[in-house]
């Protein structure tokens, strides 16, 4: 997720294991016009939806057998 989203206007994001732990807003988003940070459990299914803004996240390199540290 290298592309900056200064307006937080996107509703779909592709992330990788390198982006975990996943939280919304992400580091590339402007914080001044965002909701409180919420961590999203994406590791189990490869998908997560922010309960605040509805942004959908997909773990593009998801592996159901991947073990985190």
């Amino acid at each position: 997720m290298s592309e900056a989203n200064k307006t937080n206007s996107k509703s779909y994001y592709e992330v990788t294991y390198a982006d975990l732990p996943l939280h919304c807003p992400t580091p590339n988003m402007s914080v001044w016009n965002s909701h409180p940070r919420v961590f999203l459990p994406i590791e189990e299914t490869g998908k997560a939806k922010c309960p605040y803004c509805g942004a959908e996240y997909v773990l593009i390199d998801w592996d159901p057998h991947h073990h985190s540290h």
Side-chain angles (χ1 to χ4, degrees), residues 41-47 62 64:
I42 197 169
E43 297 89 348
E44 288 186 27
T45 64
K47 297 180 182 180
W62 183 67

Side-chain angles (χ1 to χ4, degrees), residues 12-68:
Y12 175 83
Y13 298 90
E14 292 181 342
V15 296
T16 66
Y17 280 104
D19 298 311
L20 302 184
L22 177 62
H23 55 80
C24 187
T26 66
N28 294 333
M29 294 177 179
S30 295
V31 178
W32 67 269
N33 63 346
S34 296
H35 53 72
R37 180 183 292 178
V38 60
F39 285 87
L40 304 172
I42 197 169
E43 297 89 348
E44 288 186 27
T45 64
K47 297 180 182 180
K49 187 172 184 174
C50 177
Y52 284 102
C53 67
E56 295 185 55
Y57 294 86
V58 174
L59 189 58
I60 58 173
D61 57 350
W62 183 67
D63 175 1
H65 304 293
H66 181 86
H67 297 286
S68 56

